Amino acid sequence: MINIVGLNKARLEGFTKTEAFRNFEFAPISELRAQSHIHNPRALNDDILLFLAYDDEQLAGYLGILPDDVRMKNGEKIHFGWLSTLFVSEKHRGKQIAQKLLYAAEKSYDQNLLITEFTPSAERLYRKIGMFDDLASKNAIRYYYKSNLAELLPSKNNFFGRNKIWLKRWDNLVNFFIPYRSKGINNLYKITRSVDGNLSDFINHQHKNPIARNAADFQWMLEFPWLSTEKEEPNYLFSSYSEDYRMFWVSVCENQKIILAFLCSVRNSHLKVLYYFGNAEKISGILPKVIKKNKIKMMTIYDDKLNETIGKNKMPKPIYKRPMQRSYLIHKAFKAKLGKDFNFHFTDGDGDFSFT
């Protein structure tokens, strides 16, 4: 018999320290993800953050949810959940466990569900179950500034994973001859790893998309990342570890007032601009300095306006670039509730993208 159990903030607190958790064949959540979910300022006390599926008394699968809010044009706030992780053990497949987890999430969040960054196997399930519609995809450009084979190839083939040390040596040799070919504009910028009063005031007065992130949201992201630079979560199948992972704000002032700011993450020399406020052209002029200072090998931008200004200014100058795309799925009832005229203008970091 399949039994679905939901964990809210109170039940998730200390869950990863329990004997039952240690005895699971696989981990349904990492310690860092659990703490991040618990401290999410948009998560309500009764929100289910993790659904567990038991086959008799054995853990068979799980589904993670990241609670969020969206604002309508009339100011009404609608609470919803991003599907964050979905997994069913091979030993228990064929019993519609994934469907039962999705139905539990659908009921718990009143059908208000969104998904992005899903695997091909998860996408097949979402489409098969018939409760989701497509939203417009976001186009991206990935810019390559240095050779980064040690990070790119191991995920493609186990042979490269076994020979990662040689790939690193090759990268180091080749990159010695590849300079950063742009200095950027001369604005003085500031890097911070917290949201101080000036940055908070600036952020909270900016025009935002319907998710409408505020300073408290961004401070939560900075304080409770999902990736550890110390150890990998044993038996957890989703991202939990990175040799190098940092999040920080870059801000520029004029006359002692912030005129632009953008939130970055760097994972193993891969830069992402998750959110930005201010003039896109000026930001594209600051990026070369950030790239050089952090020894960035590649950068991914999911924002048409920012990519346009980067291309127009020809800075920073990559050795190679390629287009990418991110898909979104929305529950059909949630889409109808938001209405035909709703502007689904997501920012790079919306969903769980900011954390991985």
Side-chain angles (χ1 to χ4, degrees), residues 234-302:
N235 301 321
Y236 187 60
L237 301 178
F238 294 88
S239 294
S240 65
Y241 170 78
S242 178
E243 290 182 15
D244 172 43
Y245 183 72
R246 289 163 283 141
M247 290 182 67
F248 53 87
W249 279 95
V250 180
S251 57
V252 174
C253 291
E254 284 185 2
N255 300 321
Q256 298 183 330
K257 286 188 176 181
I258 296 176
I259 60 168
L260 64 87
F262 52 101
L263 179 63
C264 299
S265 71
V266 175
R267 179 178 181 178
N268 296 332
S269 302
H270 180 189
L271 171 67
K272 301 173 187 174
V273 178
L274 304 173
Y275 295 88
Y276 76 88
F277 303 104
N279 184 283
E281 188 168 351
K282 288 186 177 180
I283 290 171
S284 70
I286 296 292
L287 279 172
K289 292 179 175 290
V290 177
I291 289 166
K292 187 173 182 179
K293 179 180 178 63
N294 291 276
K295 299 179 179 178
I296 297 303
K297 294 181 178 178
M298 62 183 182
M299 176 177 71
T300 305
I301 303 289
Y302 279 93

Side-chain angles (χ1 to χ4, degrees), residues 339-352:
K340 294 181 179 179
D341 297 328
F342 188 82
N343 179 20
F344 294 98
H345 178 64
F346 297 113
T347 305
D348 280 24
D350 291 336
D352 60 9

Side-chain angles (χ1 to χ4, degrees), residues 72 78 330 333-344:
M72 306 288 283
I78 299 180
I330 186 171
F334 188 29
K335 184 179 180 181
K337 190 180 298 183
L338 294 175
K340 294 181 179 179
D341 297 328
F342 188 82
N343 179 20
F344 294 98

Side-chain angles (χ1 to χ4, degrees), residues 191-210:
I191 290 181
T192 55
R193 289 178 172 81
S194 64
V195 181
D196 61 19
N198 290 335
L199 184 54
S200 176
D201 289 342
F202 174 77
I203 291 169
N204 290 337
H205 284 88
Q206 297 305 303
H207 175 74
K208 304 181 183 71
N209 70 350

Side-chain angles (χ1 to χ4, degrees), residues 17-35:
K17 306 293 187 184
T18 62
E19 183 178 355
F21 185 89
R22 290 193 296 269
N23 290 334
F24 288 147
E25 289 186 15
F26 53 90
I29 196 170
S30 70
E31 172 63 22
L32 290 183
R33 285 199 191 216
Q35 288 303 309

Side-chain angles (χ1 to χ4, degrees), residues 56-171:
D56 290 330
E57 296 184 358
Q58 267 194 323
L59 182 66
Y62 57 87
L63 172 63
I65 306 283
L66 184 68
D68 210 339
D69 300 307
V70 66
R71 289 191 180 275
M72 306 288 283
K73 289 183 179 179
N74 62 5
E76 178 188 1
K77 185 171 69 174
I78 299 180
H79 198 57
F80 74 95
W82 294 94
L83 301 191
S84 182
T85 54
L86 174 61
F87 173 76
V88 176
S89 168
E90 288 187 9
K91 291 169 54 177
H92 301 274
R93 289 177 186 174
K95 301 180 181 181
Q96 296 190 322
I97 293 173
Q99 289 92 324
K100 289 179 171 64
L101 286 164
L102 288 171
Y103 292 141
E106 179 187 44
K107 181 178 180 181
S108 180
Y109 282 82
D110 194 27
Q111 301 179 316
N112 298 342
L113 299 174
L114 271 166
I115 324 169
T116 189
E117 293 291 301
F118 38 78
T119 63
S121 59
E123 181 179 6
R124 288 192 292 270
L125 171 65
Y126 297 145
R127 297 194 183 283
K128 178 181 177 182
I129 205 169
M131 67 170 67
F132 297 102
D133 272 346
D134 288 284
L135 291 178
S137 299
K138 280 180 70 71
N139 295 319
I141 297 177
R142 177 162 290 173
Y143 304 85
Y144 295 86
Y145 303 101
K146 299 277 189 174
S147 176
N148 199 21
L149 299 181
E151 291 300 323
L152 299 175
L153 294 183
S155 62
K156 308 293 184 183
N157 190 295
N158 289 334
F159 170 80
F160 297 114
R162 294 191 299 269
N163 292 278
K164 189 172 182 179
I165 187 171
W166 296 105
L167 293 174
K168 283 185 176 181
R169 291 175 179 176
W170 170 259
D171 287 336

